[in-house]
Amino acid sequence: MDEDMLRCLTEQGFAARTLPLPLYVRAHAEVLVPAADAGERLDLRAADIPLLDVAVAADRRGALRQLVERAAVLRIPRSGHGSLRDSLPDSGGDARADARDGSPPAVGAGDSHDEAVARAIYQELARRRAESGIEKGTLITGRDQPEGPSGVALRGVDGRIDCYLLGETAGVPAVGAVLRLDRLERPLCAVVCDLWERRGVERAVQAVLREFVVTTLPRRDDTDRAPFPYGDFHDVVAVGETDFETLAPRPPRDETGELRDRLRLHGHRASVRVLGPADRAALVACRLEPTARSEPSADSESEPVRRPTTGIEDDWRPRDVAALGLRAPRQLSLTYERDDVRIGRVYHENSKMRTAYGTLPVVDIAEMSPPARRLLGQAYRDFGHARRQYPMRPAGQPRLLTLDQVVRRRRSWAAMGDGELTRAELAHLLTLSYGTTGAAVAGQDLRLPLRATPSAGGLYSSDLFVLVDRVSGVEPGLYYFHPGKRLLQLVDDERTLAEVAEYTGYRERAGEAAAMVVYVGAFRRNQWKYRERGYRTVLLDCGHLAQSVVTTATSLGLVAHPMIAFVDDYFNAYVGVDGVEDAVLYLTLLGPRRTGDEAA
């Protein structure tokens, strides 16, 4: 779970926030920020957020693990590395000098102590490999296929990522990645060490993507760009090639033991300090020390890695760190808590179409019975016994603006006049947006009506209701528009538009309208065919219809203001639907354009 990694960050005085990446980058990114900037909030000021570090990995947990490691490095004092140096065993002057070389110790985080120690050792070896200078390597081919473990890291960009085997450091293979993009001033580089070379390739790709992401972030004007910690070897010469598939297909069975033996064989041992409690994600700091070179033997020390259990001291506080010289992109202050949208994410996942058999039922209209086929052409309600009905069959052709004029003139908040809509204007609007405009042959004995607005499967899962306030020739009230009969049928005349406007998010604006269009989704009408995906199609159908209403109203010289701010339960009860099988989804306010407001 990610919670243990997030808890480790919190205990160190930091927090993580997700960094949206360009769609052409196949990875996940998190940024390290001070604890005060942890909360996702709607910040309309677009305030700067201090960005302390960036992590890029295949998934969120991998990125959080990197941030936990880098947060721990920021907590360690620069001078002498504090308690960590005191924990090093007395192994000679060289080891003491190594502890004072000015670089922070390597820090590793993992689900277990062994994993954390291995990650710390790999990081320390990668630093040493980069500092030793890199001139040549063996080019790894065949690793950039989508089905490969490392996948395609960048999609559709003008450049490439090359990976190389760079020999060994203390017996551990080193893998380098070089990102070359035509629009970058110079290539970007990263090096990692890993016993499992295939995993090393993936980690190297993610590391160089991290460097690429850093270059894309806005920089504070008063800071210089921080150097990349893994050196500069973009001019590496390929001295041979090896196919990715020839690399070991799996890691060593006992990775920690193998790593320990290789270190000992090459004259090194690891001094480790446990930084975090053992009851959650392990966090350790590590130094490599020279030892007398010796061959591993059966009677050699079985556990050279020291494991002090002291946790983080109270005097380890976040220091005044020098960030990367970057500031977070503005959209970071306009994000949200994941729990706020969890249900929507679950719905979206469950409504996906997949290639597996049975995702959707196979519907063959020709095999349906004649009564069932006729039902497909009756996608409407009928209030045939209503006290009042008004024909919506306008005579003649309306004067319409050109498409160019409509697109340029449409404004939701254009000023409305206090006059009326005409019955002819309302009739034209309803007919041109949702009226029957033709028919299609389905099978040998069925003609299905076609309307002015598209709909999934021709099932027309949206219904139009119109709340009339000021329309000449039509008494105030809520009406249903019957698209087949082209009628307005009275549904309710006990509430005024002013009363209903109180249950919207913009009651003053709603009160200006001469009429209000109410869109009702009829889920049962298409979910028999599309099942969970049917909810998506209902929303899409409603969006198509609303756009048709807005475009037609504008072409008639009217103002159309779409609105989603309304109290669902009130509107569902008002229209007479249960909010489950059928529900109000959307509103559009209609009104005459204020005289002289042609530019609005």
Side-chain angles (χ1 to χ4, degrees):
M1 299 295 290
D2 298 339
E3 285 73 15
D4 53 351
M5 293 296 173
L6 291 172
R7 189 161 53 247
C8 281
L9 284 176
T10 302
E11 291 173 350
Q12 296 182 79
F14 300 99
R17 298 182 69 166
T18 299
L19 175 65
L21 291 179
L23 292 179
Y24 54 81
V25 179
R26 299 292 187 89
H28 182 91
E30 296 279 332
V31 293
L32 185 68
V33 297
D37 294 288
E40 308 283 9
R41 63 188 183 278
L42 181 63
D43 186 354
L44 298 179
R45 301 167 301 165
D48 275 340
I49 297 174
L51 192 157
L52 306 179
D53 213 325
V54 180
V56 176
D59 52 33
R60 185 170 187 247
R61 182 168 181 79
L64 289 176
R65 179 163 46 196
Q66 294 177 29
L67 290 190
V68 168
E69 295 167 348
R70 290 163 189 170
V73 171
L74 293 179
R75 287 170 57 90
I76 299 173
R78 287 288 184 186
S79 58
H81 309 307
S83 300
L84 178 65
R85 191 186 69 172
D86 297 337
S87 73
L88 293 174
D90 188 2
S91 56
D94 291 341
R96 292 288 178 165
D98 181 60
R100 299 188 185 96
D101 66 0
S103 63
V107 175
D111 295 329
S112 66
H113 176 84
D114 286 348
E115 180 184 10
V117 170
R119 284 180 60 86
I121 292 174
Y122 288 147
Q123 291 185 40
E124 178 65 13
L125 292 176
R127 181 183 67 83
R128 296 186 180 198
R129 181 68 186 92
E131 290 177 350
S132 67
I134 298 170
E135 299 179 352
K136 59 184 179 180
T138 301
L139 180 66
I140 302 174
T141 62
R143 51 145 292 275
D144 54 351
Q145 299 303 313
E147 63 274 9
S150 58
V152 177
L154 295 173
R155 177 182 61 178
V157 299
D158 194 8
R160 69 184 191 276
I161 296 178
D162 291 324
C163 291
Y164 301 87
L165 293 178
L166 303 176
E168 295 184 344
T169 300
V172 178
V175 179
V178 179
L179 170 60
R180 297 178 174 90
L181 293 176
D182 291 348
R183 292 182 177 85
L184 285 179
E185 294 181 2
R186 55 191 298 278
L188 305 175
C189 319
V191 61
V192 302
C193 287
D194 202 306
L195 283 178
W196 186 21
E197 293 167 336
R198 288 196 180 192
R199 183 175 59 192
V201 169
E202 185 170 356
R203 289 179 53 219
V205 169
Q206 294 164 3
V208 81
L209 284 179
R210 181 259 184 194
E211 173 67 353
F212 173 68
V213 170
V214 167
T215 66
T216 66
L217 292 173
R219 193 166 9 262
R220 293 201 300 270
D221 296 334
D222 59 344
T223 57
D224 295 326
R225 185 177 180 280
F228 189 57
Y230 291 134
D232 180 9
F233 57 93
H234 59 271
D235 291 328
V236 59
V237 176
V239 295
E241 294 184 358
T242 185
D243 192 273
F244 183 84
E245 294 299 324
T246 65
L247 304 180
R250 59 185 61 86
R253 179 172 300 178
D254 179 10
E255 183 174 1
T256 305
E258 179 71 19
L259 184 59
R260 175 196 62 203
D261 291 342
R262 293 198 188 190
L263 288 177
R264 184 189 297 118
L265 181 63
H266 288 80
H268 295 280
R269 66 173 179 173
S271 178
V272 175
R273 179 177 179 80
V274 176
L275 302 180
D279 60 343
R280 57 181 74 107
L283 180 64
V284 303
C286 174
R287 282 285 189 186
L288 294 185
E289 308 167 31
T291 62
R293 185 179 298 271
S294 62
E295 296 292 332
S297 59
D299 58 353
S300 64
E301 184 183 5
S302 60
E303 183 56 77
V305 176
R306 303 188 60 181
R307 301 172 62 166
T309 57
T310 304
I312 298 176
E313 275 85 6
D314 292 337
D315 61 349
W316 283 26
R317 296 285 185 247
R319 56 187 171 82
D320 184 15
V321 299
L324 295 177
L326 305 171
R327 57 181 174 83
R330 297 299 189 184
Q331 66 264 36
L332 271 183
S333 63
L334 300 176
T335 49
Y336 46 80
E337 296 285 357
R338 288 174 178 266
D339 285 344
D340 293 340
V341 296
R342 189 178 301 276
I343 293 176
R345 298 287 174 83
V346 170
Y347 148 69
H348 189 77
E349 183 65 27
N350 288 337
S351 66
K352 289 179 179 177
M353 289 186 66
R354 294 178 169 83
T355 56
Y357 172 78
T359 299
L360 292 176
V362 178
V363 178
D364 187 346
I365 294 179
E367 294 183 358
M368 298 173 68
S369 65
R373 289 202 300 272
R374 283 193 292 271
L375 284 175
L376 297 180
Q378 299 174 6
Y380 45 74
R381 305 171 193 270
D382 195 343
F383 294 79
H385 300 285
R387 294 197 313 271
R388 294 196 297 270
Q389 299 191 58
Y390 296 94
M392 290 285 109
R393 297 177 179 271
Q397 295 294 324
R399 295 183 58 185
L400 302 177
L401 301 177
T402 65
L403 178 60
D404 180 81
Q405 292 173 314
V406 169
V407 172
R408 296 178 183 277
R409 195 178 190 188
R410 190 219 66 79
R411 294 293 183 270
S412 297
W413 282 90
M416 293 183 184
D418 55 5
E420 297 180 327
L421 300 183
T422 68
R423 179 170 164 179
E425 287 173 331
L426 184 59
H428 281 304
L429 186 152
L430 296 174
T431 300
L432 294 178
S433 60
Y434 212 36
T436 300
T437 56
V441 177
Q444 297 180 353
D445 58 349
L446 177 64
R447 291 177 63 83
L448 294 178
L450 300 178
R451 301 190 198 173
T453 295
S455 174
L459 300 176
Y460 300 103
S461 59
S462 294
D463 289 309
L464 282 186
F465 291 76
V466 183
L467 174 54
V468 171
D469 185 61
R470 303 189 313 274
V471 177
S472 62
V474 180
E475 294 185 43
L478 178 68
Y479 294 85
Y480 171 69
F481 173 61
H482 193 300
K485 297 178 180 179
R486 296 191 187 182
L487 291 174
L488 278 185
Q489 300 173 325
L490 180 65
V491 177
D492 182 284
D493 60 358
E494 295 182 358
R495 302 182 217 189
T496 66
L497 189 147
E499 292 176 290
V500 173
E502 293 292 324
Y503 294 87
T504 69
Y506 302 93
R507 63 173 181 267
E508 292 185 3
R509 175 64 169 174
E512 297 175 358
M516 175 189 292
V517 179
V518 181
Y519 305 82
V520 174
F523 301 116
R524 184 184 293 273
R525 199 175 291 167
N526 80 359
Q527 284 186 320
W528 65 270
K529 178 178 181 180
Y530 294 110
R531 296 186 181 176
E532 286 287 20
R533 196 172 181 84
Y535 186 68
R536 281 204 214 187
T537 65
V538 172
L539 299 183
L540 292 170
D541 283 359
C542 181
H544 293 318
L545 178 54
Q547 181 60 36
S548 292
V549 169
V550 168
T551 301
T552 304
T554 306
S555 71
L556 290 166
L558 308 177
V559 176
H561 185 159
M563 182 180 293
I564 63 170
F566 60 89
V567 179
D568 290 71
D569 291 342
Y570 174 85
F571 272 83
N572 287 330
Y574 177 42
V575 172
V577 295
D578 61 8
V580 179
E581 297 288 349
D582 308 273
V584 175
L585 302 177
Y586 207 21
L587 308 175
T588 297
L589 308 178
L590 297 175
R593 185 176 291 265
R594 181 183 297 171
T595 303
D597 191 33
E598 300 302 320

